[in-house]
């Protein structure tokens, strides 16, 4: 490290020039960062959940490529309203990458014309006036239109824009949504409601993009103001800010260059790095100022800063990177990416700090970052920490016991924690997205698909009357769940066809009980031009699809419903293979995977840090002492979440990783400085006092900055982001108490020998 320090000090302009060249090179790839939100991409390609979904996609197409537009009108079934609706729909057909639009104007009814099956449109512009009441009655009682395209009262309707599967990208959807909104804006008297998974994804991403830019900017301004208040010097403000801006820029460029993109988790990387980068630079600038105060010249002070805190900051960066890097073991792809990119970003922050900070200090010939005549907070913190150190020494047993008792008491709330997440979980219940989604749930059917693919294992297996009856019973069973509003399948089609072609028999048995008759009906459907069969069965009639629509009930309810349905299937479909899938299942499975992956990753991180502490201090007690301050904030936050009824879900689960990274960073900074003071020959008491005062001051300042950075998230439109702001801010507070009060008290109480370090000092 000494040779490295000499090189940077002797070549500061070369180092700075090199960094600025990299900054210029990183601007272009960073500007090309893209954002997306695709549930299927959250899983590895080999995951059974994805393979089940791909089975549905292969046989029947995707269930997540439809944008839904709805409206209500008491005068819907008037000639004027219906023709105006047709005009709107026709104008939307010219939008590129829309493969089809389903509406009451495209809906067909089955007609028996002298024994010949025909599909005629319900609505015909030329005959609307003469038969409107009869049309309304037929279309509002049809199994395929009622609850889908129109409600029972005939006052609410919807049309569905199907996005071309080959071009179902964020950019394409954005263009479609803009043209859709522009067209609908030409009808200000109508209150259109828009929902559907493609629409939600893009609106979510658009809000996310705006928030990322806003919070980076807002946090930067607050941090700048705080740094100015603390240091009252331009260098004390702009050196840390340049370091964090460079860090974020390089990390975003790395994400782009490796084919990554921003989504629900990686969007939090920038605020994390903003805080971590500032923390590294503040710790090192504090050490530089301490060296100057001790009478060192600038060159020697820079070398002292690099020799002592360069290695200490490297240690904290490595441990923080390990904390995030353990997420690489996750089976959830975005969580794995989040862990990798955040770990890389932390190491980038360290690299820039040890290169840029000493170089810029040398170039600008700064004698001291903190101005004596500046802010009063900086020296005030140092004075208070001396009193804290004295308090710790006198009352270490009480402090330790109170801390442990508090953890146990609040930690009981962990038993009340529940794993539960919704598709729309991150969005405020008062937002337009949720209100529009609720409109469909309350008036037609929810926008969340729950799909079943039943494989009879033999061609024409779906023509077996016994099988048909069992499928019909399954549909009725599905509708017995309050969360499931609608279910259609081949049996729905068959019942309607039976009623049209054989009304007398249908009055006795709603479904045909003769296999030959079912085969004849299939032949009738084949020779028509209608493609309705391909939505409910495959080409050789071996597989059958049931399409259900469910509320956004949460992963806990969906998993309970699925488990109950699986028991029903095990009793009634012993000879068939049944696959339960759909976007709703993708979301429900994802919640559990993310939470349990995160728990195992944090456990792995604790093991890694325990090994590191054992290696550094060669004392078993030190492992306990180092882990308790890191565990405490996590236990307290988990307990508070349980007591307040805040569920564990992807957006709140990631809080624990962030909290762990912050807690570890502070603890390692403290222990690394403590180890340095021991090596200088100080006893444990003196080493603790100096560490608490000097490193404690930097910890408090960085914690204040972290609070400002994460505190801004409380104003977010996303409920999950607001919770993240509140809970991470609380964790930061708990971590400061744990590191500056509990950690020193544990030293006094457990009295580790630390013989190896003391011997080296001697």
């Amino acid at each position: 490290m000494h040779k490295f320090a000499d090189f940077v000090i002797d070549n500061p302009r070369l180092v700075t020039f090199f960094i600025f060249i990299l900054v210029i090179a990183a601007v272009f790839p960073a500007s090309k960062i893209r954002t997306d939100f695709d549930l299927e991409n959250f899983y590895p390609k080999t995951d059974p959940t994805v393979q089940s979904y791909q089975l549905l996609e292969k046989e029947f197409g995707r269930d997540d490529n439809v944008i839904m537009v709805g409206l209500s009108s008491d005068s819907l079934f008037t000639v004027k309203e219906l023709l105006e609706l047709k005009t709107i729909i026709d104008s939307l057909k010219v939008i590129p990458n829309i493969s089809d639009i389903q509406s009451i104007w495209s809906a067909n009814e089955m007609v028996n014309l002298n024994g010949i099956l025909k599909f005629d449109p319900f609505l015909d512009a030329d005959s609307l006036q003469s038969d409107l009441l009869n049309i309304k009655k037929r279309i509002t009682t049809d199994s395929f239109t009622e609850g889908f395209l129109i409600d029972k009262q005939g006052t609410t309707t919807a049309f569905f824009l199907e996005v071309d599967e080959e071009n179902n990208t964020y950019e394409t959807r954005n263009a479609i949504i803009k043209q859709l909104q522009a067209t609908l804006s030409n009808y200000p008297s109508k209150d259109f409601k828009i929902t559907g998974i493609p629409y939600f994804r893009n609106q979510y991403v658009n809000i996310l993009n705006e928030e990322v830019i806003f919070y980076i900017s807002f946090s930067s301004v607050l941090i700048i103001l705080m740094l100015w208040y603390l240091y009252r010097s331009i260098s004390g403000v702009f050196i840390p800010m340049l370091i964090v801006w460079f860090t974020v820029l390089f990390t975003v460029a790395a994400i782009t260059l490796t084919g990554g993109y921003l989504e629900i988790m990686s969007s939090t990387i920038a605020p994390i790095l903003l805080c971590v980068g500032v923390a590294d630079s503040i710790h090192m600038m504090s050490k530089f100022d301490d060296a100057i105060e001790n009478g060192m010249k600038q060159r020697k002070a820079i070398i002292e800063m690099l020799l002592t805190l360069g290695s200490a900051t490297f240690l904290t960066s490595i441990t923080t990177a390990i904390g995030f890097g353990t997420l690489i073991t996750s089976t959830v792809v975005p969580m794995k990416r989040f862990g990798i990119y955040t770990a890389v970003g932390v190491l980038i922050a360290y690299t820039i700090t040890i290169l840029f900070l000493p170089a810029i200090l040398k170039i600008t010939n700064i004698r001291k970052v903190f101005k004596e005549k500046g802010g009063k907070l900086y020296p005030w913190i140092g004075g208070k920490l001396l009193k804290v150190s004295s308090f710790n020494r006198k009352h270490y047993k009480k402090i330790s016991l109170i801390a442990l008792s508090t953890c146990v008491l609040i930690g009981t709330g962990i038993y009340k924690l529940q794993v539960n997440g919704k598709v729309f979980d991150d969005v405020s219940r008062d937002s337009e997205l949720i209100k529009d989604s609720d409109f469909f749930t309350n008036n037609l059917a929810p926008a969340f698909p729950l799909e079943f693919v039943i494989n009879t294992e033999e061609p024409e297996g779906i023509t077996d009357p016994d099988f048909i009856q069992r499928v019909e019973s399954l549909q009725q069973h599905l509708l017995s769940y309050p969360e499931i509003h609608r279910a259609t399948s081949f049996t729905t089609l068959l019942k309607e066809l039976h009623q049209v072609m054989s009304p007398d028999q249908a009055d006795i048995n709603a479904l045909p009980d003769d296999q030959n008759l079912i085969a004849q009906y299939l032949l009738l459907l084949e020779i028509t031009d209608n493609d309705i069969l391909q939505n409910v069965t495959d080409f050789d009639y071996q597989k059958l699809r049931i399409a259900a629509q469910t509320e956004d009930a949460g992963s806990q309810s969906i998993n309970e419903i699925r488990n109950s349905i699986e028991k029903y299937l095990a009793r009634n479909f012993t000879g068939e293979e049944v696959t339960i899938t759909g976007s709703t299942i993708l979301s429900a499975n994802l919640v559990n995977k993310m939470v349990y992956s995160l728990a195992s990753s944090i456990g792995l991180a604790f093991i890694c840090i325990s090994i590191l502490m054992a290696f550094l201090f060669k004392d078993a007690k030190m492992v306990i002492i180092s882990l308790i301050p890191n565990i405490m904030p996590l236990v307290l936050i988990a307990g508070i979440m349980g007591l307040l009824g805040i569920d564990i879900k992807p957006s709140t689960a990631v809080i624990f990783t962030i909290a762990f990274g912050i807690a570890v960073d502070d603890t390692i900074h403290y222990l690394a400085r403590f180890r340095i003071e021991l090596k200088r020959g100080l006893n444990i008491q003196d080493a603790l006092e100096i560490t608490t005062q000097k490193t404690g001051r930097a910890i408090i300042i960085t914690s204040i900055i972290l609070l400002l950075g994460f505190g801004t998230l409380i104003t977010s439109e996303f409920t999950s982001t607001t919770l993240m702001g509140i809970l991470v801010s609380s964790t930061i507070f708990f971590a400061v108490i744990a590191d500056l009060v509990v950690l020193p008290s544990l030293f006094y109480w457990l009295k580790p020998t630390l013989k190896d370090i003391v011997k080296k000092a001697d």
Side-chain angles (χ1 to χ4, degrees), residues 288-305:
F288 173 76
D289 277 1
D290 289 344
I292 294 291
E293 283 180 4
N294 291 332
M296 292 185 185
K297 299 293 184 183
Q298 191 207 41
R299 181 185 179 92
K300 195 170 181 182
I302 294 174
I303 292 173
E304 174 71 8
M305 174 187 75

Side-chain angles (χ1 to χ4, degrees), residues 276-284 313 316-317 346 349-350 353 665 669:
V276 170
V278 169
D280 284 349
S281 56
I282 284 177
H283 277 286
M284 294 192 73
T313 307
T316 60
S317 298
V346 168
Y350 169 75
T353 302
D665 190 77
H669 267 297

Side-chain angles (χ1 to χ4, degrees), residues 432-465:
E432 287 301 315
L433 280 175
I434 296 298
K435 289 178 181 177
D436 285 4
S437 175
D438 289 344
F439 170 84
F440 280 85
T441 300
N442 297 330
N443 293 280
L444 292 165
F448 306 99
L450 181 62
E451 303 275 358
F452 300 81
V453 179
I454 306 176
N455 188 350
T456 63
E457 307 286 355
E458 58 182 42
E460 299 189 4
I462 70 165
T463 62
D464 179 8

